[in-house]
Amino acid sequence: MRVIGIDPGLRNLGWGVIDVAGSRLTHVANGICHSDGGEGDLAVRLLSLHLQLTEVLRAWQPESAAVEHTFVNKDAVATLKLGQARGIALLVPAQFGLSVGEYAPNAVKKTVVGVGHAAKVQVDHMVKLQFPGVKVAGPDAADALAVAICHAHHVQSAGRLQAALRAAE
């Protein structure tokens, strides 16, 4: 199964693609979509992210997607704008007919690092340990790869649960 993880952001939207075969995870690609338009027109920035993420999905053809939940911060306007970028991160995979898993940042950190309140640098380190020799495009791409890893683990666990339930019937 090919999974794309997406770390939503209005300036930088991170993405990471992995292949999952049983318990084996293989890095495929990662990168960052940078919104065009600077601090200008929000609609132009969202369109830019949409077009770039559409190209990523077209190029790498994932079979499943996962997006990190956003957290609410003190700046309501910034939170709202981030939510709109997250909408793009949910919309594009849906346009490709993919199911989209959604994970809280603490769940992603717990899966990848083992601790729900891990620092960003710890997530980055563990992603690089998982995929040795891979050049990660930046912290946003590392977070997106972590989201993909989290989704892979949750899908595998759900599959094992379903198999156990079927066997118990």
Side-chain angles (χ1 to χ4, degrees), residues 81-108:
K81 287 181 179 178
L82 181 58
Q84 291 168 326
R86 188 170 178 277
I88 297 298
L90 293 166
L91 173 66
V92 173
Q95 288 179 314
F96 279 79
L98 304 182
S99 62
V100 182
E102 300 179 68
Y103 300 95
N106 287 350
V108 173

mmCIF file with all atom_site columns, all heavy atoms in Angstrom, residues 81-108:
data_model
loop_
_atom_site.group_PDB
_atom_site.id
_atom_site.type_symbol
_atom_site.label_atom_id
_atom_site.label_alt_id
_atom_site.label_comp_id
_atom_site.label_asym_id
_atom_site.label_entity_id
_atom_site.label_seq_id
_atom_site.pdbx_PDB_ins_code
_atom_site.Cartn_x
_atom_site.Cartn_y
_atom_site.Cartn_z
_atom_site.occupancy
_atom_site.B_iso_or_equiv
_atom_site.pdbx_formal_charge
_atom_site.auth_seq_id
_atom_site.auth_comp_id
_atom_site.auth_asym_id
_atom_site.auth_atom_id
_atom_site.pdbx_PDB_model_num
ATOM 1   N N   . LYS A 1 81  ? -6.913  30.448 9.199  1.00 0.00 ? 81  LYS A N   1
ATOM 2   C CA  . LYS A 1 81  ? -6.183  30.311 7.936  1.00 0.00 ? 81  LYS A CA  1
ATOM 3   C C   . LYS A 1 81  ? -5.538  28.937 7.816  1.00 0.00 ? 81  LYS A C   1
ATOM 4   O O   . LYS A 1 81  ? -5.553  28.327 6.749  1.00 0.00 ? 81  LYS A O   1
ATOM 5   C CB  . LYS A 1 81  ? -5.134  31.410 7.804  1.00 0.00 ? 81  LYS A CB  1
ATOM 6   C CG  . LYS A 1 81  ? -5.728  32.774 7.513  1.00 0.00 ? 81  LYS A CG  1
ATOM 7   C CD  . LYS A 1 81  ? -4.645  33.827 7.370  1.00 0.00 ? 81  LYS A CD  1
ATOM 8   C CE  . LYS A 1 81  ? -5.249  35.170 7.062  1.00 0.00 ? 81  LYS A CE  1
ATOM 9   N NZ  . LYS A 1 81  ? -4.222  36.224 6.961  1.00 0.00 ? 81  LYS A NZ  1
ATOM 10  N N   . LEU A 1 82  ? -4.969  28.438 8.914  1.00 0.00 ? 82  LEU A N   1
ATOM 11  C CA  . LEU A 1 82  ? -4.383  27.110 8.911  1.00 0.00 ? 82  LEU A CA  1
ATOM 12  C C   . LEU A 1 82  ? -5.448  26.052 8.631  1.00 0.00 ? 82  LEU A C   1
ATOM 13  O O   . LEU A 1 82  ? -5.213  25.090 7.904  1.00 0.00 ? 82  LEU A O   1
ATOM 14  C CB  . LEU A 1 82  ? -3.679  26.829 10.238 1.00 0.00 ? 82  LEU A CB  1
ATOM 15  C CG  . LEU A 1 82  ? -2.993  25.478 10.378 1.00 0.00 ? 82  LEU A CG  1
ATOM 16  C CD1 . LEU A 1 82  ? -1.937  25.275 9.299  1.00 0.00 ? 82  LEU A CD1 1
ATOM 17  C CD2 . LEU A 1 82  ? -2.359  25.362 11.755 1.00 0.00 ? 82  LEU A CD2 1
ATOM 18  N N   . GLY A 1 83  ? -6.636  26.268 9.179  1.00 0.00 ? 83  GLY A N   1
ATOM 19  C CA  . GLY A 1 83  ? -7.751  25.354 8.921  1.00 0.00 ? 83  GLY A CA  1
ATOM 20  C C   . GLY A 1 83  ? -8.128  25.320 7.451  1.00 0.00 ? 83  GLY A C   1
ATOM 21  O O   . GLY A 1 83  ? -8.497  24.272 6.916  1.00 0.00 ? 83  GLY A O   1
ATOM 22  N N   . GLN A 1 84  ? -8.014  26.460 6.777  1.00 0.00 ? 84  GLN A N   1
ATOM 23  C CA  . GLN A 1 84  ? -8.318  26.503 5.344  1.00 0.00 ? 84  GLN A CA  1
ATOM 24  C C   . GLN A 1 84  ? -7.267  25.734 4.548  1.00 0.00 ? 84  GLN A C   1
ATOM 25  O O   . GLN A 1 84  ? -7.592  25.027 3.592  1.00 0.00 ? 84  GLN A O   1
ATOM 26  C CB  . GLN A 1 84  ? -8.432  27.949 4.880  1.00 0.00 ? 84  GLN A CB  1
ATOM 27  C CG  . GLN A 1 84  ? -9.663  28.617 5.471  1.00 0.00 ? 84  GLN A CG  1
ATOM 28  C CD  . GLN A 1 84  ? -9.684  30.114 5.287  1.00 0.00 ? 84  GLN A CD  1
ATOM 29  O OE1 . GLN A 1 84  ? -8.645  30.772 5.298  1.00 0.00 ? 84  GLN A OE1 1
ATOM 30  N NE2 . GLN A 1 84  ? -10.867 30.669 5.136  1.00 0.00 ? 84  GLN A NE2 1
ATOM 31  N N   . ALA A 1 85  ? -6.012  25.829 4.959  1.00 0.00 ? 85  ALA A N   1
ATOM 32  C CA  . ALA A 1 85  ? -4.954  25.051 4.304  1.00 0.00 ? 85  ALA A CA  1
ATOM 33  C C   . ALA A 1 85  ? -5.177  23.563 4.561  1.00 0.00 ? 85  ALA A C   1
ATOM 34  O O   . ALA A 1 85  ? -4.941  22.719 3.690  1.00 0.00 ? 85  ALA A O   1
ATOM 35  C CB  . ALA A 1 85  ? -3.578  25.480 4.814  1.00 0.00 ? 85  ALA A CB  1
ATOM 36  N N   . ARG A 1 86  ? -5.645  23.237 5.764  1.00 0.00 ? 86  ARG A N   1
ATOM 37  C CA  . ARG A 1 86  ? -5.955  21.845 6.089  1.00 0.00 ? 86  ARG A CA  1
ATOM 38  C C   . ARG A 1 86  ? -7.097  21.339 5.205  1.00 0.00 ? 86  ARG A C   1
ATOM 39  O O   . ARG A 1 86  ? -7.125  20.172 4.816  1.00 0.00 ? 86  ARG A O   1
ATOM 40  C CB  . ARG A 1 86  ? -6.314  21.721 7.573  1.00 0.00 ? 86  ARG A CB  1
ATOM 41  C CG  . ARG A 1 86  ? -6.450  20.306 8.015  1.00 0.00 ? 86  ARG A CG  1
ATOM 42  C CD  . ARG A 1 86  ? -6.569  20.218 9.547  1.00 0.00 ? 86  ARG A CD  1
ATOM 43  N NE  . ARG A 1 86  ? -6.743  18.844 9.915  1.00 0.00 ? 86  ARG A NE  1
ATOM 44  C CZ  . ARG A 1 86  ? -7.908  18.201 9.904  1.00 0.00 ? 86  ARG A CZ  1
ATOM 45  N NH1 . ARG A 1 86  ? -9.006  18.842 9.560  1.00 0.00 ? 86  ARG A NH1 1
ATOM 46  N NH2 . ARG A 1 86  ? -7.966  16.937 10.235 1.00 0.00 ? 86  ARG A NH2 1
ATOM 47  N N   . GLY A 1 87  ? -8.028  22.212 4.885  1.00 0.00 ? 87  GLY A N   1
ATOM 48  C CA  . GLY A 1 87  ? -9.113  21.853 3.966  1.00 0.00 ? 87  GLY A CA  1
ATOM 49  C C   . GLY A 1 87  ? -8.574  21.411 2.616  1.00 0.00 ? 87  GLY A C   1
ATOM 50  O O   . GLY A 1 87  ? -9.055  20.441 2.025  1.00 0.00 ? 87  GLY A O   1
ATOM 51  N N   . ILE A 1 88  ? -7.547  22.106 2.129  1.00 0.00 ? 88  ILE A N   1
ATOM 52  C CA  . ILE A 1 88  ? -6.899  21.724 0.872  1.00 0.00 ? 88  ILE A CA  1
ATOM 53  C C   . ILE A 1 88  ? -6.252  20.347 1.032  1.00 0.00 ? 88  ILE A C   1
ATOM 54  O O   . ILE A 1 88  ? -6.352  19.488 0.152  1.00 0.00 ? 88  ILE A O   1
ATOM 55  C CB  . ILE A 1 88  ? -5.839  22.769 0.450  1.00 0.00 ? 88  ILE A CB  1
ATOM 56  C CG1 . ILE A 1 88  ? -6.487  24.131 0.180  1.00 0.00 ? 88  ILE A CG1 1
ATOM 57  C CG2 . ILE A 1 88  ? -5.033  22.291 -0.754 1.00 0.00 ? 88  ILE A CG2 1
ATOM 58  C CD1 . ILE A 1 88  ? -7.490  24.168 -0.937 1.00 0.00 ? 88  ILE A CD1 1
ATOM 59  N N   . ALA A 1 89  ? -5.608  20.125 2.179  1.00 0.00 ? 89  ALA A N   1
ATOM 60  C CA  . ALA A 1 89  ? -4.932  18.847 2.443  1.00 0.00 ? 89  ALA A CA  1
ATOM 61  C C   . ALA A 1 89  ? -5.930  17.689 2.499  1.00 0.00 ? 89  ALA A C   1
ATOM 62  O O   . ALA A 1 89  ? -5.571  16.554 2.176  1.00 0.00 ? 89  ALA A O   1
ATOM 63  C CB  . ALA A 1 89  ? -4.139  18.930 3.756  1.00 0.00 ? 89  ALA A CB  1
ATOM 64  N N   . LEU A 1 90  ? -7.158  17.948 2.896  1.00 0.00 ? 90  LEU A N   1
ATOM 65  C CA  . LEU A 1 90  ? -8.199  16.919 2.911  1.00 0.00 ? 90  LEU A CA  1
ATOM 66  C C   . LEU A 1 90  ? -8.876  16.779 1.547  1.00 0.00 ? 90  LEU A C   1
ATOM 67  O O   . LEU A 1 90  ? -9.218  15.672 1.119  1.00 0.00 ? 90  LEU A O   1
ATOM 68  C CB  . LEU A 1 90  ? -9.260  17.252 3.964  1.00 0.00 ? 90  LEU A CB  1
ATOM 69  C CG  . LEU A 1 90  ? -8.823  17.192 5.421  1.00 0.00 ? 90  LEU A CG  1
ATOM 70  C CD1 . LEU A 1 90  ? -9.855  17.862 6.316  1.00 0.00 ? 90  LEU A CD1 1
ATOM 71  C CD2 . LEU A 1 90  ? -8.599  15.756 5.844  1.00 0.00 ? 90  LEU A CD2 1
ATOM 72  N N   . LEU A 1 91  ? -9.069  17.894 0.873  1.00 0.00 ? 91  LEU A N   1
ATOM 73  C CA  . LEU A 1 91  ? -9.785  17.915 -0.397 1.00 0.00 ? 91  LEU A CA  1
ATOM 74  C C   . LEU A 1 91  ? -9.041  17.183 -1.510 1.00 0.00 ? 91  LEU A C   1
ATOM 75  O O   . LEU A 1 91  ? -9.635  16.367 -2.230 1.00 0.00 ? 91  LEU A O   1
ATOM 76  C CB  . LEU A 1 91  ? -10.047 19.369 -0.826 1.00 0.00 ? 91  LEU A CB  1
ATOM 77  C CG  . LEU A 1 91  ? -10.638 19.571 -2.229 1.00 0.00 ? 91  LEU A CG  1
ATOM 78  C CD1 . LEU A 1 91  ? -12.042 19.011 -2.302 1.00 0.00 ? 91  LEU A CD1 1
ATOM 79  C CD2 . LEU A 1 91  ? -10.612 21.056 -2.593 1.00 0.00 ? 91  LEU A CD2 1
ATOM 80  N N   . VAL A 1 92  ? -7.772  17.470 -1.676 1.00 0.00 ? 92  VAL A N   1
ATOM 81  C CA  . VAL A 1 92  ? -7.035  16.914 -2.817 1.00 0.00 ? 92  VAL A CA  1
ATOM 82  C C   . VAL A 1 92  ? -7.038  15.382 -2.812 1.00 0.00 ? 92  VAL A C   1
ATOM 83  O O   . VAL A 1 92  ? -7.381  14.766 -3.829 1.00 0.00 ? 92  VAL A O   1
ATOM 84  C CB  . VAL A 1 92  ? -5.608  17.508 -2.920 1.00 0.00 ? 92  VAL A CB  1
ATOM 85  C CG1 . VAL A 1 92  ? -4.806  16.802 -4.000 1.00 0.00 ? 92  VAL A CG1 1
ATOM 86  C CG2 . VAL A 1 92  ? -5.678  19.008 -3.204 1.00 0.00 ? 92  VAL A CG2 1
ATOM 87  N N   . PRO A 1 93  ? -6.689  14.717 -1.697 1.00 0.00 ? 93  PRO A N   1
ATOM 88  C CA  . PRO A 1 93  ? -6.767  13.249 -1.719 1.00 0.00 ? 93  PRO A CA  1
ATOM 89  C C   . PRO A 1 93  ? -8.192  12.743 -1.980 1.00 0.00 ? 93  PRO A C   1
ATOM 90  O O   . PRO A 1 93  ? -8.384  11.748 -2.690 1.00 0.00 ? 93  PRO A O   1
ATOM 91  C CB  . PRO A 1 93  ? -6.291  12.836 -0.322 1.00 0.00 ? 93  PRO A CB  1
ATOM 92  C CG  . PRO A 1 93  ? -5.486  13.982 0.165  1.00 0.00 ? 93  PRO A CG  1
ATOM 93  C CD  . PRO A 1 93  ? -6.112  15.198 -0.441 1.00 0.00 ? 93  PRO A CD  1
ATOM 94  N N   . ALA A 1 94  ? -9.196  13.450 -1.435 1.00 0.00 ? 94  ALA A N   1
ATOM 95  C CA  . ALA A 1 94  ? -10.589 13.053 -1.677 1.00 0.00 ? 94  ALA A CA  1
ATOM 96  C C   . ALA A 1 94  ? -10.931 13.152 -3.160 1.00 0.00 ? 94  ALA A C   1
ATOM 97  O O   . ALA A 1 94  ? -11.666 12.314 -3.700 1.00 0.00 ? 94  ALA A O   1
ATOM 98  C CB  . ALA A 1 94  ? -11.538 13.903 -0.842 1.00 0.00 ? 94  ALA A CB  1
ATOM 99  N N   . GLN A 1 95  ? -10.369 14.145 -3.851 1.00 0.00 ? 95  GLN A N   1
ATOM 100 C CA  . GLN A 1 95  ? -10.602 14.284 -5.288 1.00 0.00 ? 95  GLN A CA  1
ATOM 101 C C   . GLN A 1 95  ? -10.012 13.113 -6.074 1.00 0.00 ? 95  GLN A C   1
ATOM 102 O O   . GLN A 1 95  ? -10.463 12.811 -7.162 1.00 0.00 ? 95  GLN A O   1
ATOM 103 C CB  . GLN A 1 95  ? -10.021 15.604 -5.804 1.00 0.00 ? 95  GLN A CB  1
ATOM 104 C CG  . GLN A 1 95  ? -10.819 16.806 -5.350 1.00 0.00 ? 95  GLN A CG  1
ATOM 105 C CD  . GLN A 1 95  ? -10.220 18.107 -5.836 1.00 0.00 ? 95  GLN A CD  1
ATOM 106 O OE1 . GLN A 1 95  ? -9.009  18.321 -5.752 1.00 0.00 ? 95  GLN A OE1 1
ATOM 107 N NE2 . GLN A 1 95  ? -11.058 18.997 -6.323 1.00 0.00 ? 95  GLN A NE2 1
ATOM 108 N N   . PHE A 1 96  ? -9.012  12.455 -5.491 1.00 0.00 ? 96  PHE A N   1
ATOM 109 C CA  . PHE A 1 96  ? -8.413  11.278 -6.120 1.00 0.00 ? 96  PHE A CA  1
ATOM 110 C C   . PHE A 1 96  ? -9.102  9.986  -5.661 1.00 0.00 ? 96  PHE A C   1
ATOM 111 O O   . PHE A 1 96  ? -8.646  8.893  -5.960 1.00 0.00 ? 96  PHE A O   1
ATOM 112 C CB  . PHE A 1 96  ? -6.915  11.217 -5.806 1.00 0.00 ? 96  PHE A CB  1
ATOM 113 C CG  . PHE A 1 96  ? -6.080  12.113 -6.677 1.00 0.00 ? 96  PHE A CG  1
ATOM 114 C CD1 . PHE A 1 96  ? -5.999  13.470 -6.416 1.00 0.00 ? 96  PHE A CD1 1
ATOM 115 C CD2 . PHE A 1 96  ? -5.390  11.607 -7.771 1.00 0.00 ? 96  PHE A CD2 1
ATOM 116 C CE1 . PHE A 1 96  ? -5.239  14.311 -7.206 1.00 0.00 ? 96  PHE A CE1 1
ATOM 117 C CE2 . PHE A 1 96  ? -4.632  12.441 -8.577 1.00 0.00 ? 96  PHE A CE2 1
ATOM 118 C CZ  . PHE A 1 96  ? -4.549  13.793 -8.305 1.00 0.00 ? 96  PHE A CZ  1
ATOM 119 N N   . GLY A 1 97  ? -10.170 10.121 -4.880 1.00 0.00 ? 97  GLY A N   1
ATOM 120 C CA  . GLY A 1 97  ? -10.922 8.967  -4.415 1.00 0.00 ? 97  GLY A CA  1
ATOM 121 C C   . GLY A 1 97  ? -10.297 8.224  -3.249 1.00 0.00 ? 97  GLY A C   1
ATOM 122 O O   . GLY A 1 97  ? -10.631 7.069  -2.987 1.00 0.00 ? 97  GLY A O   1
ATOM 123 N N   . LEU A 1 98  ? -9.385  8.879  -2.538 1.00 0.00 ? 98  LEU A N   1
ATOM 124 C CA  . LEU A 1 98  ? -8.687  8.225  -1.430 1.00 0.00 ? 98  LEU A CA  1
ATOM 125 C C   . LEU A 1 98  ? -9.431  8.421  -0.115 1.00 0.00 ? 98  LEU A C   1
ATOM 126 O O   . LEU A 1 98  ? -10.033 9.467  0.123  1.00 0.00 ? 98  LEU A O   1
ATOM 127 C CB  . LEU A 1 98  ? -7.277  8.788  -1.271 1.00 0.00 ? 98  LEU A CB  1
ATOM 128 C CG  . LEU A 1 98  ? -6.358  8.726  -2.489 1.00 0.00 ? 98  LEU A CG  1
ATOM 129 C CD1 . LEU A 1 98  ? -4.991  9.284  -2.128 1.00 0.00 ? 98  LEU A CD1 1
ATOM 130 C CD2 . LEU A 1 98  ? -6.236  7.311  -3.007 1.00 0.00 ? 98  LEU A CD2 1
ATOM 131 N N   . SER A 1 99  ? -9.337  7.408  0.751  1.00 0.00 ? 99  SER A N   1
ATOM 132 C CA  . SER A 1 99  ? -9.792  7.596  2.123  1.00 0.00 ? 99  SER A CA  1
ATOM 133 C C   . SER A 1 99  ? -8.706  8.395  2.837  1.00 0.00 ? 99  SER A C   1
ATOM 134 O O   . SER A 1 99  ? -7.522  8.243  2.528  1.00 0.00 ? 99  SER A O   1
ATOM 135 C CB  . SER A 1 99  ? -10.020 6.250  2.808  1.00 0.00 ? 99  SER A CB  1
ATOM 136 O OG  . SER A 1 99  ? -8.806  5.529  2.885  1.00 0.00 ? 99  SER A OG  1
ATOM 137 N N   . VAL A 1 100 ? -9.105  9.239  3.759  1.00 0.00 ? 100 VAL A N   1
ATOM 138 C CA  . VAL A 1 100 ? -8.152  10.111 4.443  1.00 0.00 ? 100 VAL A CA  1
ATOM 139 C C   . VAL A 1 100 ? -8.248  9.886  5.948  1.00 0.00 ? 100 VAL A C   1
ATOM 140 O O   . VAL A 1 100 ? -9.292  10.135 6.555  1.00 0.00 ? 100 VAL A O   1
ATOM 141 C CB  . VAL A 1 100 ? -8.406  11.604 4.117  1.00 0.00 ? 100 VAL A CB  1
ATOM 142 C CG1 . VAL A 1 100 ? -7.366  12.488 4.805  1.00 0.00 ? 100 VAL A CG1 1
ATOM 143 C CG2 . VAL A 1 100 ? -8.400  11.841 2.612  1.00 0.00 ? 100 VAL A CG2 1
ATOM 144 N N   . GLY A 1 101 ? -7.159  9.404  6.545  1.00 0.00 ? 101 GLY A N   1
ATOM 145 C CA  . GLY A 1 101 ? -7.083  9.276  7.992  1.00 0.00 ? 101 GLY A CA  1
ATOM 146 C C   . GLY A 1 101 ? -6.655  10.605 8.586  1.00 0.00 ? 101 GLY A C   1
ATOM 147 O O   . GLY A 1 101 ? -5.911  11.356 7.966  1.00 0.00 ? 101 GLY A O   1
ATOM 148 N N   . GLU A 1 102 ? -7.148  10.894 9.772  1.00 0.00 ? 102 GLU A N   1
ATOM 149 C CA  . GLU A 1 102 ? -6.792  12.135 10.452 1.00 0.00 ? 102 GLU A CA  1
ATOM 150 C C   . GLU A 1 102 ? -6.249  11.792 11.832 1.00 0.00 ? 102 GLU A C   1
ATOM 151 O O   . GLU A 1 102 ? -6.843  10.991 12.550 1.00 0.00 ? 102 GLU A O   1
ATOM 152 C CB  . GLU A 1 102 ? -8.012  13.045 10.585 1.00 0.00 ? 102 GLU A CB  1
ATOM 153 C CG  . GLU A 1 102 ? -8.621  13.437 9.242  1.00 0.00 ? 102 GLU A CG  1
ATOM 154 C CD  . GLU A 1 102 ? -9.836  14.321 9.414  1.00 0.00 ? 102 GLU A CD  1
ATOM 155 O OE1 . GLU A 1 102 ? -9.672  15.475 9.867  1.00 0.00 ? 102 GLU A OE1 1
ATOM 156 O OE2 . GLU A 1 102 ? -10.947 13.850 9.119  1.00 0.00 ? 102 GLU A OE2 1
ATOM 157 N N   . TYR A 1 103 ? -5.115  12.401 12.182 1.00 0.00 ? 103 TYR A N   1
ATOM 158 C CA  . TYR A 1 103 ? -4.434  12.075 13.427 1.00 0.00 ? 103 TYR A CA  1
ATOM 159 C C   . TYR A 1 103 ? -4.042  13.330 14.181 1.00 0.00 ? 103 TYR A C   1
ATOM 160 O O   . TYR A 1 103 ? -3.553  14.285 13.579 1.00 0.00 ? 103 TYR A O   1
ATOM 161 C CB  . TYR A 1 103 ? -3.185  11.227 13.147 1.00 0.00 ? 103 TYR A CB  1
ATOM 162 C CG  . TYR A 1 103 ? -3.549  9.929  12.460 1.00 0.00 ? 103 TYR A CG  1
ATOM 163 C CD1 . TYR A 1 103 ? -3.495  9.822  11.075 1.00 0.00 ? 103 TYR A CD1 1
ATOM 164 C CD2 . TYR A 1 103 ? -3.986  8.839  13.193 1.00 0.00 ? 103 TYR A CD2 1
ATOM 165 C CE1 . TYR A 1 103 ? -3.860  8.649  10.437 1.00 0.00 ? 103 TYR A CE1 1
ATOM 166 C CE2 . TYR A 1 103 ? -4.345  7.663  12.560 1.00 0.00 ? 103 TYR A CE2 1
ATOM 167 C CZ  . TYR A 1 103 ? -4.285  7.570  11.187 1.00 0.00 ? 103 TYR A CZ  1
ATOM 168 O OH  . TYR A 1 103 ? -4.659  6.408  10.557 1.00 0.00 ? 103 TYR A OH  1
ATOM 169 N N   . ALA A 1 104 ? -4.233  13.289 15.481 1.00 0.00 ? 104 ALA A N   1
ATOM 170 C CA  . ALA A 1 104 ? -3.799  14.381 16.351 1.00 0.00 ? 104 ALA A CA  1
ATOM 171 C C   . ALA A 1 104 ? -2.271  14.386 16.397 1.00 0.00 ? 104 ALA A C   1
ATOM 172 O O   . ALA A 1 104 ? -1.643  13.325 16.312 1.00 0.00 ? 104 ALA A O   1
ATOM 173 C CB  . ALA A 1 104 ? -4.368  14.193 17.749 1.00 0.00 ? 104 ALA A CB  1
ATOM 174 N N   . PRO A 1 105 ? -1.660  15.552 16.540 1.00 0.00 ? 105 PRO A N   1
ATOM 175 C CA  . PRO A 1 105 ? -0.197  15.621 16.619 1.00 0.00 ? 105 PRO A CA  1
ATOM 176 C C   . PRO A 1 105 ? 0.389   14.704 17.698 1.00 0.00 ? 105 PRO A C   1
ATOM 177 O O   . PRO A 1 105 ? 1.423   14.071 17.483 1.00 0.00 ? 105 PRO A O   1
ATOM 178 C CB  . PRO A 1 105 ? 0.081   17.093 16.934 1.00 0.00 ? 105 PRO A CB  1
ATOM 179 C CG  . PRO A 1 105 ? -1.096  17.821 16.379 1.00 0.00 ? 105 PRO A CG  1
ATOM 180 C CD  . PRO A 1 105 ? -2.261  16.887 16.563 1.00 0.00 ? 105 PRO A CD  1
ATOM 181 N N   . ASN A 1 106 ? -0.284  14.606 18.857 1.00 0.00 ? 106 ASN A N   1
ATOM 182 C CA  . ASN A 1 106 ? 0.222   13.744 19.930 1.00 0.00 ? 106 ASN A CA  1
ATOM 183 C C   . ASN A 1 106 ? 0.200   12.272 19.542 1.00 0.00 ? 106 ASN A C   1
ATOM 184 O O   . ASN A 1 106 ? 1.078   11.510 19.947 1.00 0.00 ? 106 ASN A O   1
ATOM 185 C CB  . ASN A 1 106 ? -0.560  13.964 21.226 1.00 0.00 ? 106 ASN A CB  1
ATOM 186 C CG  . ASN A 1 106 ? -0.216  15.281 21.879 1.00 0.00 ? 106 ASN A CG  1
ATOM 187 O OD1 . ASN A 1 106 ? 0.725   15.960 21.489 1.00 0.00 ? 106 ASN A OD1 1
ATOM 188 N ND2 . ASN A 1 106 ? -0.985  15.645 22.884 1.00 0.00 ? 106 ASN A ND2 1
ATOM 189 N N   . ALA A 1 107 ? -0.811  11.854 18.753 1.00 0.00 ? 107 ALA A N   1
ATOM 190 C CA  . ALA A 1 107 ? -0.878  10.461 18.298 1.00 0.00 ? 107 ALA A CA  1
ATOM 191 C C   . ALA A 1 107 ? 0.263   10.162 17.328 1.00 0.00 ? 107 ALA A C   1
ATOM 192 O O   . ALA A 1 107 ? 0.871   9.084  17.384 1.00 0.00 ? 107 ALA A O   1
ATOM 193 C CB  . ALA A 1 107 ? -2.228  10.186 17.633 1.00 0.00 ? 107 ALA A CB  1
ATOM 194 N N   . VAL A 1 108 ? 0.571   11.111 16.465 1.00 0.00 ? 108 VAL A N   1
ATOM 195 C CA  . VAL A 1 108 ? 1.675   10.938 15.512 1.00 0.00 ? 108 VAL A CA  1
ATOM 196 C C   . VAL A 1 108 ? 2.987   10.817 16.279 1.00 0.00 ? 108 VAL A C   1
ATOM 197 O O   . VAL A 1 108 ? 3.789   9.899  16.029 1.00 0.00 ? 108 VAL A O   1
ATOM 198 C CB  . VAL A 1 108 ? 1.729   12.117 14.509 1.00 0.00 ? 108 VAL A CB  1
ATOM 199 C CG1 . VAL A 1 108 ? 2.963   12.024 13.625 1.00 0.00 ? 108 VAL A CG1 1
ATOM 200 C CG2 . VAL A 1 108 ? 0.461   12.157 13.664 1.00 0.00 ? 108 VAL A CG2 1
#
